[in-house]
Amino acid sequence: MSQFGIVMATPRAGSSATRAAGSDATTRRLTLAGNELTLRGEGVELVARTEQRDTDRIWLEPCDRPGQNRSFVVNFGWCYRKSSDSPVLSHSDCRAILRSHRQHEAIDLDDFSGNYCILSYDHLSDTLWCCSDLWAQQGFYFGTNQELIAVGSRASWVADRLCAPVDGYSYLTMLRGAAIVPGRSLYAGVYRLTCGLSLKLDLGKYSAFLARTGDIWKPPLGVSFEEALELSIDAIVSVCLRASCLPHTAVDLTGGNDTRLTAAALSSPKGAEIGKRATFKVQGAEGSPDAVIAKRIADEFNWTLHRHDRTAGMRITNEAIAFLREVAVLSDGERFPCDLARRLSSERTHWAEHTHLVGSVSGELFRGRYWYQEMLNMGRTEKVSYDAFKRTLWASADVDFERVSRGAVSRPDHDDYLKTSYGLMETGAPSLSNVYKLDRIAVHRLLSTNDHWRYSELRSAHNPFHTAEATDVAMRLPWRYRVGRKMVTNAVERLSPRLARIPTDTGAPMRPLRIGNVGSYVRFYVRENAGRWNRHFRPGRRRERNANRGRTMPASWFQYMANTEREGILCDTGLTRRGAPGEFQAMTPEEYREQEMILLLAVLRDVYPNLQPRLDFDHPEPLVPRKVCRLT
């Protein structure tokens, strides 16, 4: 799998072998063996390993003499140069990155896009830039203690190097069923890169600091609807074709609105040939609305469609403890082990033929999907209602905060923590109405996970609507043009009139609203609102609290958890171990999540022995520090 790790320590903190390596860049040893690169020297160790596929790349600057110290660029994930026609990074593009590294105080990535992580080392200045794409989709983790600075693709690895404890606020977030907030990890003092930032390491001075290398706050465009439509179509076609043109690519296809934009680009005159070469996939049971509409679209354009019924195969097929350890490492403290094991067991049988996946997440940007919480104040004020936004996180209120935190954190305290974490996205924002702020907050919330690293062994994920070109257009379009799917339906019809004749899986028309199709819109909204009423208000329609068919744990895994010593997190939270595999169905969701967290942390402690088995509630501040560290 793709991964990297960097440890920088003062000579007194390093090993005797490290101290003997030398004192400057000229004595560092660079080694490339296959797809693994290492750089070692006094106080510094870097290891980077890439997957052997089209997108990942290791480039070494040519040198005149064998054994001469060399600069390098390592790319993980899908990256391309906007001014180039190539869908991936070339050697000349790597050379341009290194040139920017040497010529500018902050590395210039404006001409690069995709979802990627780049390491650029310049042996002349003995500096290393660690960069991600604009939205930090393939962001990395970093932290420091008195002796070390650690940077890596996995939060658990960084925490192990720093001997970090578990962050109590993140632990509570997991128990509540919400995602860990942007910029944080499961571990205290281990931070995740956030959007628009890069990390610079000065290896000779043993220091690191964050620099802003991307601008996410650009003003709205003053354009007419027709101009906005043309800009949207150009961006959609450009990024979707780049994302889908590589061999062995699978493209998500559902009955919804967002994959319809990708399908429109690949069925347009410009993308028709790429559409015929690609393989489309839909997830769902045969006869499900998604599968029915996806098959109808594929038949219309004679596309190859594979149906993958993830729910039918969502069982843990490998109960070995070795697999549990692998799952724990891949979870990186962000996913519950049993859920992740079921997904891996299912997808490993599906991804044998495809090395690239094109998704359509955040196509919602073109239809204002993230604004509904501000229904009464949409576009009328600059203020974002974070109380309303917190409800979209679906954070449970039924966690025993008093017991878990030993009285350190109450539910209102944790609610404020969640709201403040997302509210920090507004820092440095210009004067913008709330809808434009919500676009950026929601996108960063979607991307602040480790999924690109987690599934790197299976495939390289391409998110065309998260590229800099797509977001630069979508987030700057006048918001009124995006309300009510107006932009989406017009774009689909303009690109592919045949595709626009097929409604969505919920029956929503894909043609723009006109007098001739008012009836289909009326019928759709009547059904949609009736469904919402039944889901939220009709007696007996709500799911029972304990009805969770997914609550299972292999007996061998439960026994592993039962055999762990009664220490660490288990004692720190005051939880009396309860439950057995047959009793999980009767637990509340919060109780079952706590059992899974105990299992996860027990395995992580086995894999990463330096992790401290205690909860830390002393660092509630979610802001990523600008000055990371300088070792002396």
Side-chain angles (χ1 to χ4, degrees), residues 311-575:
T311 58
M314 287 294 277
R315 60 184 183 277
I316 301 174
T317 57
N318 184 351
E319 299 186 7
I321 299 302
F323 180 54
L324 173 60
R325 290 193 179 97
E326 180 187 3
V327 167
V329 171
L330 291 175
S331 77
D332 210 23
E334 294 179 344
R335 294 287 185 270
F336 294 103
C338 294
D339 289 344
L340 180 57
R342 281 189 284 270
R343 178 166 179 176
L344 286 174
S345 299
S346 175
E347 292 206 4
R348 280 179 173 171
T349 62
H350 178 68
W351 284 101
E353 299 178 359
H354 304 113
T355 54
H356 309 289
L357 170 66
V358 178
S360 297
V361 63
S362 276
E364 295 93 338
L365 287 171
F366 289 96
R367 57 188 178 96
R369 178 66 178 81
Y370 303 128
W371 309 337
Y372 293 137
Q373 70 172 67
E374 302 285 353
M375 188 62 71
L376 300 179
N377 291 311
M378 189 183 296
R380 296 184 177 91
T381 176
E382 295 184 13
K383 183 179 179 181
V384 174
S385 173
Y386 287 102
D387 285 325
F389 179 79
K390 181 181 67 65
R391 289 193 290 272
T392 69
L393 302 178
W394 301 105
S396 168
D398 297 326
V399 171
D400 190 344
F401 292 89
E402 176 71 22
R403 172 181 59 78
V404 173
S405 70
R406 294 182 177 261
V409 178
S410 64
R411 178 191 164 189
D413 293 336
H414 198 262
D415 285 346
D416 288 341
Y417 161 81
L418 292 176
K419 292 187 293 184
T420 304
S421 300
Y422 289 99
L424 286 169
M425 283 285 295
E426 284 194 68
T427 303
S431 178
L432 291 173
S433 64
N434 53 8
V435 291
Y436 297 107
K437 294 178 180 179
L438 281 169
D439 280 339
R440 290 153 174 85
I441 293 170
V443 165
H444 197 47
R445 169 192 167 191
L446 284 172
L447 302 179
S448 58
T449 69
N450 205 15
D451 281 350
H452 281 281
W453 298 105
R454 184 172 294 115
Y455 302 115
S456 63
E457 63 153 313
L458 296 176
R459 71 294 201 262
S460 169
H462 304 178
N463 293 328
F465 300 128
H466 279 155
T467 59
E469 308 99 288
T471 56
D472 189 54
V473 170
M475 291 183 178
R476 300 178 67 193
L477 295 177
W479 68 271
R480 289 182 176 84
Y481 297 164
R482 295 184 273 160
V483 173
R485 302 189 311 128
K486 182 178 180 181
M487 185 62 65
V488 170
T489 54
N490 276 274
V492 171
E493 185 180 61
R494 185 75 60 89
L495 286 168
S496 182
R498 291 162 58 193
L499 186 63
R501 292 198 290 266
I502 303 175
T504 69
D505 56 330
T506 60
M510 285 308 299
R511 287 175 169 173
L513 177 62
R514 301 188 182 98
I515 294 178
N517 64 357
V518 167
S520 59
Y521 270 87
V522 170
R523 288 191 294 273
F524 164 68
Y525 283 118
V526 167
R527 289 196 304 269
E528 182 74 4
N529 289 325
R532 289 175 179 171
W533 174 269
N534 288 336
R535 286 194 300 272
H536 295 289
F537 301 109
R538 184 178 172 185
R541 294 290 294 184
R542 294 192 179 191
R543 290 186 301 175
E544 290 296 325
R545 179 176 176 179
N546 294 334
N548 187 336
R549 294 186 296 273
R551 288 196 200 128
T552 58
M553 184 183 295
S556 59
W557 294 14
F558 176 81
Q559 191 61 43
Y560 176 93
M561 180 175 68
N563 290 339
T564 57
E565 296 182 12
R566 300 179 60 83
E567 63 172 2
I569 296 299
L570 189 63
C571 290
D572 208 27
T573 60
L575 176 67

Side-chain angles (χ1 to χ4, degrees), residues 251 253 275-281 298 301-306:
V251 182
L253 184 63
K276 291 177 182 178
R277 294 198 305 266
T279 298
F280 292 82
K281 76 175 188 70
F301 298 102
N302 197 26
W303 287 343
T304 301
L305 177 68
H306 290 175

Side-chain angles (χ1 to χ4, degrees), residues 579-623:
E583 301 174 14
F584 290 151
Q585 296 287 345
M587 290 185 176
T588 66
E590 296 76 22
E591 290 170 341
Y592 179 71
R593 283 195 290 265
E594 192 161 10
Q595 296 288 324
E596 282 222 58
M597 285 301 293
I598 291 171
L599 172 64
L600 175 61
L601 289 168
V603 182
L604 286 173
R605 275 271 290 167
D606 190 16
V607 178
Y608 301 105
N610 293 323
L611 294 179
Q612 300 300 303
R614 62 182 178 85
L615 296 181
D616 181 287
F617 289 97
D618 296 332
H619 301 88
E621 68 283 353
L623 182 63

Side-chain angles (χ1 to χ4, degrees), residues 2-164:
S2 297
Q3 57 185 337
F4 77 92
I6 306 166
V7 174
M8 187 164 55
T10 56
R12 61 180 175 80
S15 65
S16 58
T18 300
R19 288 194 296 270
S23 58
D24 56 30
T26 61
T27 60
R28 304 203 191 283
R29 298 189 302 272
L30 178 66
T31 306
L32 178 61
N35 61 332
E36 180 172 303
L37 178 144
T38 60
L39 177 69
R40 291 186 174 91
E42 182 180 14
V44 175
E45 181 175 8
L46 178 151
V47 179
R49 186 180 300 112
T50 64
E51 288 291 325
Q52 294 179 331
R53 56 167 63 106
D54 302 331
T55 50
D56 290 7
R57 190 169 304 282
I58 297 178
W59 175 79
L60 301 182
E61 184 181 31
C63 63
D64 299 329
R65 303 187 307 274
Q68 181 180 357
N69 199 16
R70 306 167 72 177
S71 302
F72 61 80
V73 172
V74 182
N75 173 67
F76 305 92
W78 176 48
C79 181
Y80 61 88
R81 198 173 184 179
K82 299 179 195 175
S83 57
S84 167
D85 293 330
S86 173
V88 295
L89 212 61
S90 67
H91 286 198
S92 61
D93 298 332
C94 294
R95 189 177 296 110
I97 291 172
L98 181 60
R99 187 183 310 118
S100 168
H101 180 162
R102 287 175 173 166
Q103 294 177 352
H104 300 93
E105 183 176 343
I107 194 168
D108 185 3
L109 298 174
D110 287 346
D111 196 27
F112 295 90
S113 189
N115 36 258
Y116 60 84
C117 175
I118 287 177
L119 307 179
S120 174
Y121 172 68
D122 175 28
H123 76 280
L124 300 179
S125 61
D126 201 22
T127 56
L128 175 72
W129 276 99
C130 305
C131 312
S132 186
D133 54 88
L134 179 64
W135 298 101
Q137 297 168 78
Q138 197 145 342
F140 49 85
Y141 298 86
F142 56 91
T144 182
N145 60 21
Q146 294 181 343
E147 297 183 336
L148 299 174
I149 298 174
V151 185
S153 54
R154 301 198 182 280
S156 302
W157 183 90
V158 174
D160 183 61
R161 294 304 182 275
L162 301 176
C163 303

